[in-house]
Amino acid sequence: MADSKKIKKIAVLTSGGDAPGMNAAIRAVVRKAIVDGISVTGIQKGYQGLLSEEFVEMGPRSVSDSVQKGGTILRTARSEEFKTDEGKKKAAGICRKNKFDAVVVIGGDGSYRGAQALSVEGIPVMCLPGTIDLDIACTDYTIGFDTAVNTALQAIDKVRDTSSSHERCSIIEVMGRNAGYIALWCGVASGAEDILIPENYNFDEQEIINHIIESRKSGKTHHLIINAEGIGHSTSMARRIEAATGMETRATILGYMQRGGSPTCKDRYYASMMGAMAADLLAKGTVNRVISYKNGEFVDFDIDEALAMKKEISTYQYEIAKALSK
Ligand code: ADP
């Protein structure tokens, strides 16, 4: 929806799970908006901080020394109160009282739904995809994914070395409660023998056991399984596999280390472009859009259309992963 109203003041928040590169996005929003004559308020701790009015005035210097840092300088939170009807109305009232002409939301799918709810309450919004999970339908890229997969991959390579030396089976659990992108990418890139993703829920443990036995026969000295958080149960799976195959089996759960750390060049660059684009659109009076990267270009979609889109992990790519593990 294009809105002709001149935007003079915006607010920016990060919400939901943090992702490396969120700071580069905040910095770009702030600096580009200020260049365009728009003032910026930072909302701390996502929608929760909006409801409790935890605001900080942002200037070019308040985002200094942040582009290389992981996490989010505005901090993030999850808010149950915001999800209620009263919460949404209260949040919209606070935006009006503070004369926020638009709110920039950097977060995942849940945060987008929160932004959509604010737009329904008459508060213009602009969304940026900030999630390590890559699970936002309208975009091929999300801020933080590249750093997260590279962080996970470094750890996986290390476990693979020791697993190979000891002729072990290793199950490494990576993040992704509902989405298997981190597991698929890390599995292919680390040369894993099996990749378990939530989208392919009905996996057969006996198939993995048979695969381990066959691989041993074909001369493989280790067996690496990348398991997504959404499947989980890595430790008990390790016990069952060891009992069934006789191969020493260990589980490693990578956990929160995948969220942290300095963002990669790609995450910093894309977050910077997307943040600046958000500010540019707002300066033109365009609101209720989500910034995306699609087919090699930075583009924007209407928020309602974006949230109606569906994304499925590529079965073809999953099959390739299997073929390469032989
Ligand atoms: P992410 O943005 O990383 O997917 P969440 O799903 O936890 O993270 O969402 C972050 C916050 O967005 C929630 O704590 C809540 O305040 C808000 N939110 C999520 N879903 C909705 C919804 N359907 N309506 C309104 N607000 C929502």
Side-chain angles (χ1 to χ4, degrees), residues 180-246:
Y181 294 99
I182 296 179
L184 179 61
W185 281 57
C186 287
V188 169
S190 66
E193 275 69 31
D194 283 294
I195 303 169
L196 313 180
I197 58 172
E199 291 86 344
N200 191 16
Y201 214 64
N202 297 321
F203 78 94
D204 181 356
E205 211 166 277
Q206 189 57 45
E207 231 176 76
I208 297 173
I209 290 164
N210 296 344
H211 191 198
I212 294 172
I213 295 166
E214 276 164 35
S215 297
R216 293 281 282 180
K217 281 191 199 144
S218 77
K220 289 219 182 194
T221 53
H222 68 239
H223 198 97
L224 184 58
I225 302 169
I226 303 298
N227 185 26
E229 182 188 4
I231 302 266
H233 304 291
S234 296
T235 310
S236 55
M237 201 187 293
R239 272 198 300 271
R240 288 191 296 273
I241 288 176
E242 182 164 310
T245 62

Side-chain angles (χ1 to χ4, degrees), residues 13 32 70 118 124 140 162 209 221 290 320 322:
L13 62 81
K32 190 67 173 74
L118 265 185
D140 298 336
T162 166
I209 290 164
T221 53
V290 306
I320 288 181
K322 274 194 193 162

Side-chain angles (χ1 to χ4, degrees), residues 74-87:
L74 287 175
R75 284 176 273 159
T76 184
R78 293 195 163 88
S79 170
E80 283 308 312
E81 184 189 354
F82 179 75
K83 282 186 171 178
T84 65
D85 284 347
E86 307 83 75

Side-chain angles (χ1 to χ4, degrees), residues 47-159:
Y47 297 119
Q48 196 52 52
L50 172 58
L51 290 171
S52 50
E53 301 190 50
E54 293 179 63
F55 301 151
V56 49
E57 285 319 304
M58 305 294 278
R61 293 290 72 75
S62 53
V63 289
S64 292
D65 201 29
S66 67
V67 73
Q68 81 285 15
K69 287 188 179 143
T72 158
I73 53 170
L74 287 175
R75 284 176 273 159
T76 184
R78 293 195 163 88
S79 170
E80 283 308 312
E81 184 189 354
F82 179 75
K83 282 186 171 178
T84 65
D85 284 347
E86 307 83 75
K88 288 174 212 163
K89 288 200 180 351
K90 183 178 164 192
I94 290 169
C95 290
R96 274 188 275 274
K97 184 179 82 183
N98 287 280
K99 300 194 165 41
F100 299 152
D101 296 319
V103 179
V104 178
V105 172
I106 307 169
D109 199 60
S111 302
Y112 275 28
R113 294 199 186 275
Q116 187 183 36
L118 265 185
S119 76
V120 169
E121 294 297 331
I123 304 300
V125 294
M126 182 67 68
C127 294
L128 291 167
T131 168
I132 63 166
D133 291 324
L134 199 68
D135 60 346
I136 298 181
C138 64
T139 185
D140 298 336
Y141 162 84
T142 61
I143 298 164
F145 176 74
D146 190 58
T147 306
V149 285
N150 280 293
T151 303
L153 191 62
Q154 280 187 10
I156 294 165
D157 283 346
K158 289 179 179 137
V159 177

